[in-house]
Amino acid sequence: MKEIHITSNEAGKKLDKFLSQYFSNASMGFLYKMLRKKNIVLNKKKATGKEALSEGDIISVFFADETFDKFANNSADNNDEYLNAYKRFGNLEIIYEDEHIVLINKPSGILTQKADGNDASLNEWLIGYLLSEGKLNKEELKSFRPSVCNRLDRNTSGIVICSKSLAGARKMAEILKDRSLQKYYRTIVSGTFTEAMEVDGYLVKDEKTNTVRLIDSEVKDSSRIKTGFKPLRNYELTLSDGKVVKLSEVEVLLHTGKPHQIRAHLASLGYPIVGDSKYGNERLNKKLKEDFKLKYQLLHAERLVFPEFDDEFSYLSGKELKAGLPELFQKLQ
């Protein structure tokens, strides 16, 4: 007989759902049969599988060792993928961390989540970091997997919110969905941007080119977007060929969060982000790459402001967190 102790990360789950995750190699029919025969019991009592689990509950499993091992989720036994990602990306900057969440300053060039099975991403780095620091163990990975909560493009840098607990994952998903979390970005654009504005519209995605275009009215498969822009300063930059270009540093408040939203919105207004290969000024980008080694859009998720909470997350109420700007922002001054 083996015992499984329920932690806060499993609390609230239905017993049958938890068992299907823990014994991922077993069919639900088999698991229900084991419940009926009392080979799996909850707190020493027969269970149906529909019970909601609470922290401190004990699931007793009366399987032979070989049967237990055969059906148990063994994906957490091999941690090489996570530890390799942690080693590959190194000690990324942790902006903030508590028992529920961790905020990371993601450098450009790193995927937030895998695009295919061979990728390494911030998701794997996160688990590798938690395992290496002793903040997570293999047993916990069988029923709960920490993960990123918001996504940034590969070449967009800045704050990524990650969950360490189920409660953290649920709360971050809630405030991202209801848009009560304020997300501010910093960027440098081509042209003289002088007026603060709130702009909305609709995005339509072209799957073949992985680009979006902005339109004024809703059509099939379009997404409503809204973005706030605030110019911080306008200046001139002298390039190595002697040409002087006008640039503006802009703060962006993201009201909605659609792929390429900021990049496409600024380009549609006539102020493309420097270095943006999809929506930017090709000639300027080529020169900035030669002079400053700028290989990607200069867009940075700089700060977050949390909403007011009246629950266990009240300690985050109104809290503002900021990620330092990449070095290229200073070089293009």
Side-chain angles (χ1 to χ4, degrees):
M1 187 269 288
K2 292 187 178 182
E3 291 184 344
I4 303 170
H5 294 255
I6 300 303
T7 70
S8 59
N9 285 335
E10 294 86 39
K13 289 183 181 180
K14 296 294 185 182
L15 174 59
D16 54 1
K17 182 177 180 180
F18 171 83
L19 291 173
S20 70
Q21 293 173 328
Y22 197 96
F23 296 105
S24 59
N25 297 318
S27 68
M28 284 308 303
F30 172 80
L31 294 172
Y32 283 128
K33 180 179 179 181
M34 293 299 98
L35 286 166
R36 290 195 301 271
K37 296 181 68 174
K38 295 200 291 187
N39 286 334
I40 300 176
V41 298
L42 177 63
N43 298 325
K44 299 183 179 180
K45 295 179 181 179
K46 185 176 181 179
T48 65
K50 300 304 178 184
E51 296 81 0
L53 297 173
S54 300
E55 185 175 0
D57 281 349
I58 299 174
I59 301 171
S60 301
V61 184
F62 296 89
F63 290 175
D65 288 346
E66 58 270 21
T67 302
F68 190 100
D69 293 340
K70 175 183 176 182
F71 291 123
N73 180 353
N74 297 317
S75 62
D77 290 342
N78 186 353
N79 298 319
D80 289 349
E81 179 183 21
Y82 311 124
L83 298 176
N84 287 340
Y86 181 55
K87 182 179 180 180
R88 174 179 173 181
F89 298 140
N91 293 317
L92 301 182
E93 180 188 0
I94 304 294
I95 300 167
Y96 174 82
E97 183 173 1
D98 62 35
E99 64 178 312
H100 296 296
I101 62 172
V102 54
L103 272 60
I104 300 164
N105 188 1
K106 183 187 85 69
S108 61
I110 296 178
L111 287 167
T112 309
Q113 294 177 315
K114 284 185 174 186
D116 62 53
N118 296 320
D119 287 331
S121 74
L122 195 65
N123 233 356
E124 288 71 54
W125 182 93
L126 169 68
I127 297 175
Y129 159 72
L130 295 173
L131 288 168
S132 297
E133 295 295 313
K135 300 175 181 180
L136 181 70
N137 59 54
K138 292 194 301 182
E139 188 67 20
E140 292 171 309
L141 278 176
K142 291 182 177 180
S143 56
F144 175 76
R145 197 172 297 271
S147 66
V148 300
C149 302
N150 65 309
R151 298 182 66 173
L152 296 179
D153 289 344
R154 180 199 289 266
N155 290 322
T156 297
S157 58
I159 301 177
V160 175
I161 308 171
C162 305
S163 64
K164 291 174 59 179
S165 70
L166 181 60
R170 287 173 171 170
K171 181 56 68 173
M172 294 306 104
E174 176 186 313
I175 62 175
L176 285 165
K177 183 177 181 179
D178 67 19
R179 300 172 187 169
S180 58
L181 176 71
Q182 297 177 50
K183 298 180 287 184
Y184 293 89
Y185 289 68
R186 184 81 69 95
T187 188
I188 295 176
V189 302
S190 173
T192 303
F193 196 113
T194 59
E195 183 182 355
M197 61 183 76
E198 297 278 338
V199 188
D200 57 14
Y202 295 87
L203 283 186
V204 178
K205 185 172 183 180
D206 185 330
E207 297 290 349
K208 291 183 179 180
T209 61
N210 191 30
T211 59
V212 299
R213 58 188 175 90
L214 193 67
I215 57 176
D216 294 328
S217 56
E218 186 175 13
V219 299
K220 183 181 178 182
D221 297 328
S222 64
S223 299
R224 178 81 184 272
I225 62 167
K226 184 178 181 180
T227 321
F229 301 105
K230 177 184 176 183
L232 300 177
R233 72 186 188 99
N234 311 124
Y235 65 102
E236 294 182 342
L237 181 70
T238 303
L239 303 177
S240 61
D241 60 4
K243 184 178 180 180
V244 178
V245 294
K246 296 181 183 297
L247 301 177
S248 299
E249 194 167 353
V250 178
E251 181 179 75
V252 182
L253 174 58
L254 197 61
H255 293 290
T256 56
K258 300 299 180 182
H260 299 190
Q261 175 178 329
I262 297 172
R263 298 162 64 186
H265 230 160
L266 282 166
S268 74
L269 294 171
Y271 303 101
I273 295 175
V274 296
D276 192 337
S277 61
K278 290 184 182 290
Y279 307 98
N281 183 318
E282 184 177 353
R283 184 176 298 177
L284 175 60
N285 288 343
K286 182 178 180 181
K287 191 59 185 169
L288 291 175
K289 184 176 181 180
E290 291 175 2
D291 287 3
F292 300 98
K293 296 183 170 34
L294 179 61
K295 302 176 182 178
Y296 46 82
Q297 71 270 6
L298 202 56
L299 181 62
H300 181 68
E302 184 182 27
R303 63 188 177 101
L304 299 176
V305 181
F306 285 97
E308 296 295 319
F309 298 109
D310 58 4
D311 53 19
E312 63 178 310
F313 291 90
S314 60
Y315 64 91
L316 287 175
S317 291
K319 192 175 186 67
E320 180 176 327
L321 294 161
K322 192 172 182 179
L325 295 172
E327 187 178 341
L328 272 172
F329 272 83
Q330 278 71 46
K331 288 185 177 181
L332 264 70
Q333 301 299 322

